[in-house]
Amino acid sequence: MLKLLFSGTTDPGLIRANNQDAYHIDSQGRFFIVADGMGGHAGGQEASSIATQTIRHYLEEYWQSELATADILKQSLNRANQAILLDQKHHPERRDMGTTIVVFVFRTDKDEQPWCAHVGDSRLYRMRGPEITALTEDHTWIARAVREGELTIDQSRNHPWRHVLSQCLGREDMHRIDVQPIEAQPGDRFLLCSDGLTEELPDPVIAAHLKSIRAVESAAKALVSSAKKHGGRDNITVVLVTLLLDTVNDTTGVETGFVVE
């Protein structure tokens, strides 16, 4: 039996006048969602909100079904894409809106391991001991260029095309949804975040915060504060999930906890 401790927070940052990010934490700790909208003030907010709520409702509706978790995740993201496209048709002023998405689920009555689905450059990380690992692969022009050896990681950090997405929700040609099981064990910490965090903080700095702060609520707030101190040029959203054995009694500073059987 595992106990999940989780917390989330979002901040507009220091430059943007509004917050186009959205996140959702299921009250039972079954699933977690982070979305990073784009397409202007109203468009970005609307796209991330539509995606988050559509995926939430789909997961809730089909959670107890016999469908495989991978299929439920893929269908929920496709449903969100269609919902955004429909809104674009009804509101032409939002025709350029879209959103990235990352979803992390614990369907423990069906699967031994959690699952993740994502589109775009919002990420899922796993912190295990002192090591942090990015579990998602950005759907961006720059990530492809680095993978194929056209650019080094150092060159990519300040490249003018580093924000160009190759996939996002809200496009007729959206064809890639990455869905994968995630290996997890007690003691692991998982971080879902928008690129407002990763643009300001390199992975070793993120890891340092997670190593030094145990409570999930305090750690999430510290990550956002640090990103703002390093520029805060974009909206910043962080959701943290810690896996503990149910026998461990340490909820100091925790916003919410839930036992998963």
Side-chain angles (χ1 to χ4, degrees):
M1 185 182 297
L2 286 175
K3 185 172 185 178
L4 305 183
L5 306 178
F6 43 85
S7 183
T9 187
T10 188
D11 192 283
L14 300 177
I15 306 298
R16 302 292 178 90
N18 64 306
N19 193 343
Q20 298 183 61
D21 286 1
Y23 76 95
H24 177 75
I25 294 176
D26 175 61
S27 61
Q28 299 179 50
R30 298 174 300 175
F31 55 86
F32 307 85
I33 307 169
V34 167
D36 179 358
M38 66 208 75
H41 176 86
Q45 286 182 320
E46 191 70 16
S48 62
S49 177
I50 290 172
T52 301
Q53 294 307 312
T54 301
I55 292 167
R56 170 193 174 185
H57 293 314
Y58 192 92
L59 292 177
E60 290 174 344
E61 181 178 357
Y62 288 95
W63 195 260
Q64 298 298 331
S65 76
E66 294 305 314
L67 290 173
T69 301
D71 292 335
I72 292 176
L73 280 169
K74 185 168 289 188
Q75 290 173 24
S76 72
L77 268 64
N78 275 319
R79 183 74 63 88
N81 188 58
Q82 292 302 314
I84 296 171
L85 291 172
L86 182 61
D87 187 89
Q88 290 172 353
K89 292 179 180 178
H90 291 160
H91 302 278
E93 71 277 11
R94 297 201 288 259
R95 63 184 178 276
D96 293 327
M97 72 176 179
T99 187
T100 69
I101 199 81
V102 58
V103 186
F104 188 43
V105 305
F106 287 83
R107 200 168 177 230
T108 53
D109 58 333
K110 304 289 185 182
D111 308 303
E112 293 184 0
Q113 299 289 351
W115 282 73
C116 172
H118 89 286
V119 174
D121 60 359
S122 291
R123 296 179 184 174
L124 174 68
Y125 286 90
R126 180 181 59 215
M127 186 83 182
R128 177 172 291 172
E131 301 296 328
I132 192 168
T133 303
L135 302 177
T136 52
E137 182 179 275
D138 291 351
H139 299 158
T140 59
W141 181 90
I142 205 78
R144 182 204 58 78
V146 170
R147 286 195 304 272
E148 296 183 3
E150 298 174 14
L151 294 173
T152 67
I153 293 178
D154 287 340
Q155 289 172 330
S156 72
R157 288 195 177 102
N158 295 306
H159 197 281
W161 291 2
R162 67 186 183 279
H163 299 299
V164 176
L165 294 170
S166 57
Q167 290 287 292
C168 70
L169 299 184
R171 298 292 180 268
E172 292 282 1
D173 61 350
M174 196 279 293
H175 62 272
R176 179 179 176 183
I177 299 174
D178 285 356
V179 180
Q180 59 179 317
I182 301 297
E183 195 272 321
Q185 63 187 36
D188 286 349
R189 307 184 80 185
F190 292 93
L191 165 67
L192 294 80
C193 62
S194 62
D195 71 341
L197 181 75
T198 54
E199 270 291 298
E200 306 296 357
L201 303 182
D203 290 1
V205 174
I206 295 173
H209 282 291
L210 295 179
K211 283 188 288 186
S212 64
I213 305 173
R214 184 178 179 85
V216 288
E217 183 179 11
S218 299
K221 291 179 178 178
L223 286 170
V224 170
S225 178
S226 182
K228 291 171 71 174
K229 288 178 181 177
H230 285 80
R233 292 166 290 181
D234 200 354
N235 308 147
I236 309 155
T237 300
V238 168
V239 171
L240 282 174
V241 183
T242 297
L243 276 62
L244 297 177
L245 286 173
D246 188 36
T247 54
V248 176
N249 183 21
D250 181 5
T251 57
T252 304
V254 173
E255 182 182 68
T256 312
F258 192 78
V259 176
V260 180
E261 299 182 359

